Amino acid sequence: NQRARVDVRPDRLLSPAGVVHRLRGAIPMRDWLQPGLLWSSLIIVLFAGIMALMVIMRRQWADHERFGFPMLIFPRVILEEEDGPGGKPRFAIFRKRSMWVGFGIALFLIALRGLHHYFQTPYLKTEVDLVKFFENHRPLQSFFRGFYWHPFNISLVILPIAFFVELELLGSILLCFVICSLPFYLREEMFAGWKSIKDFPFVHEQHTGAYMALAAITIYAARRHLVAVFRTAFRPTPGKAGANDASEAWSYRFALAVLLGSMLFLSFWTQYVGVGFWKGFLYFSFIMACALSTARIRAECGAPWTYLTPYTRSE
């Protein structure tokens, strides 16, 4: 073990061999070749399968269900052009005073946060934690604390995203929060015996179940579109119209082939590493379902948070 950690350097670090040694970071590339190829192939193929899934669902979400894609509003505004002097196009948003005011406020707040993180300087808090207002009322405190790591906060940084989301969806999000938080309130106020139930109200299981339920609802809502996709991919039945894929990034036939090929590759990947083919197929089907649910959330609600997939912890 002592010898394994010895960094054997070339005699001259400014020589070609020394430059290569520096670029490699003293990492034994030959030893890392197999795991590097294995994990890289898994990630690339997994993302290719998710991309194919999004190509198949795009028309359903954009044309049939007419999602607003809130996260695309801001990039579209940035890329809008107007005629400038001499007829040359220029980006319109950079000529608006309101944009620069908003940019300055955000930059100021983020800079204060950065300075506080590295140098412990004062900063302006941009979140209001409602739990602190109910410290003397245990049931309401438990209600607003909710799922432990996601308490009900009002964030001035996240709040502007709500202006891009439809009002019905915002009401739905708040209603679902209330419904999902009720067991925490009832446990403290009415049913004290629930406290003795291990892991009640089963946060991790609810989290996973919600993603599976949303995936099932998404597939059911798109059932007619999916039938049309299969008709287009496998020779449309005479007299029954398929789905037009001329404007898609990939043809539906190619997207289905990539999706099926990725699932087979990932299943054989788990077979190769000793997990098993069918266990791998089941696991990556779960991952694809999570990807479908997450994509729908982003397309419909524009959720800006970066951690969306469910997880469980090992005891």
Side-chain angles (χ1 to χ4, degrees):
N1 289 335
Q2 294 291 334
R3 188 173 181 81
R5 289 192 290 269
V6 174
D7 182 13
V8 182
R9 302 180 181 180
D11 295 334
R12 295 179 57 191
L13 291 178
L14 295 179
S15 64
V19 173
V20 171
H21 176 80
R22 286 298 185 186
L23 292 176
R24 290 175 56 183
I27 298 173
M29 294 296 183
R30 182 174 298 176
D31 297 335
W32 280 100
L33 181 60
Q34 183 185 23
L37 289 176
L38 277 173
W39 286 106
S40 298
S41 64
L42 182 144
I43 294 172
I44 293 171
V45 173
L46 181 60
F47 272 87
I50 294 174
M51 177 67 179
L53 192 61
M54 296 304 102
V55 170
I56 294 171
M57 297 299 300
R58 188 204 67 83
R59 184 176 295 277
Q60 168 68 19
W61 292 343
D63 297 345
H64 302 328
E65 298 187 53
R66 297 185 181 277
F67 289 165
F69 297 95
M71 296 300 288
L72 294 180
I73 294 177
F74 185 62
R76 282 202 301 263
V77 171
I78 290 181
L79 296 176
E80 286 180 355
E81 294 182 346
E82 64 180 7
D83 293 333
K88 294 182 178 180
R90 64 185 181 186
F91 295 114
I93 193 170
F94 296 107
R95 309 288 299 180
K96 296 181 180 180
R97 183 178 301 173
S98 58
M99 191 283 294
W100 288 109
V101 171
F103 175 80
I105 294 174
L107 180 63
F108 176 71
L109 293 175
I110 293 173
L112 288 181
R113 280 291 186 115
L115 291 173
H116 172 77
H117 178 78
Y118 290 105
F119 305 106
Q120 300 300 312
T121 58
Y123 72 99
L124 296 176
K125 192 172 182 179
T126 58
E127 293 183 353
V128 178
D129 187 359
L130 296 183
V131 177
K132 294 182 178 180
F133 293 94
F134 301 98
E135 292 181 348
N136 297 326
H137 195 289
R138 178 70 180 178
L140 286 178
Q141 185 186 36
S142 181
F143 174 83
F144 282 102
R145 187 176 64 242
F147 291 108
Y148 304 115
W149 63 91
H150 286 161
F152 194 92
N153 292 338
I154 298 177
S155 173
L156 298 180
V157 177
I158 305 299
L159 189 62
I161 302 295
F163 287 94
F164 297 142
V165 184
E166 296 179 4
L167 190 60
E168 294 84 354
L169 285 174
L170 292 177
S172 176
I173 292 171
L174 289 175
L175 177 61
C176 288
F177 171 82
V178 171
I179 294 175
C180 293
S181 298
L182 274 178
F184 294 94
Y185 176 85
L186 296 176
R187 180 187 62 186
E188 301 292 336
E189 183 69 12
M190 299 177 63
F191 305 104
W194 289 0
K195 295 181 181 180
S196 61
I197 302 175
K198 187 179 185 325
D199 297 330
F200 181 84
F202 316 111
V203 174
H204 298 288
E205 290 78 4
Q206 288 192 53
H207 200 184
T208 302
Y211 270 82
M212 295 301 98
L214 183 56
I217 292 171
T218 300
I219 294 173
Y220 179 78
R223 62 192 183 281
R224 293 187 180 88
H225 169 71
L226 294 176
V227 170
V229 166
F230 278 95
R231 286 175 181 163
T232 301
F234 304 104
R235 297 181 181 179
T237 304
K240 295 183 178 180
N244 185 8
D245 59 358
S247 60
E248 303 295 343
W250 296 342
S251 68
Y252 287 144
R253 179 177 297 180
F254 182 74
L256 287 171
V258 171
L259 180 59
L260 178 60
S262 65
M263 290 299 296
L264 290 175
F265 178 90
L266 295 171
S267 299
F268 279 113
W269 190 94
T270 53
Q271 175 71 25
Y272 177 77
V273 298
V275 176
F277 181 91
W278 292 112
K279 290 180 180 179
F281 185 84
L282 180 62
Y283 174 73
F284 286 109
S285 297
F286 168 75
I287 294 297
M288 288 295 178
C290 291
L292 184 63
S293 299
T294 302
R296 183 187 176 100
I297 292 171
R298 288 192 179 275
E300 191 173 12
C301 305
W305 203 252
T306 57
Y307 195 91
L308 285 172
T309 54
Y311 73 96
T312 56
R313 62 183 176 216
S314 60
E315 299 296 340

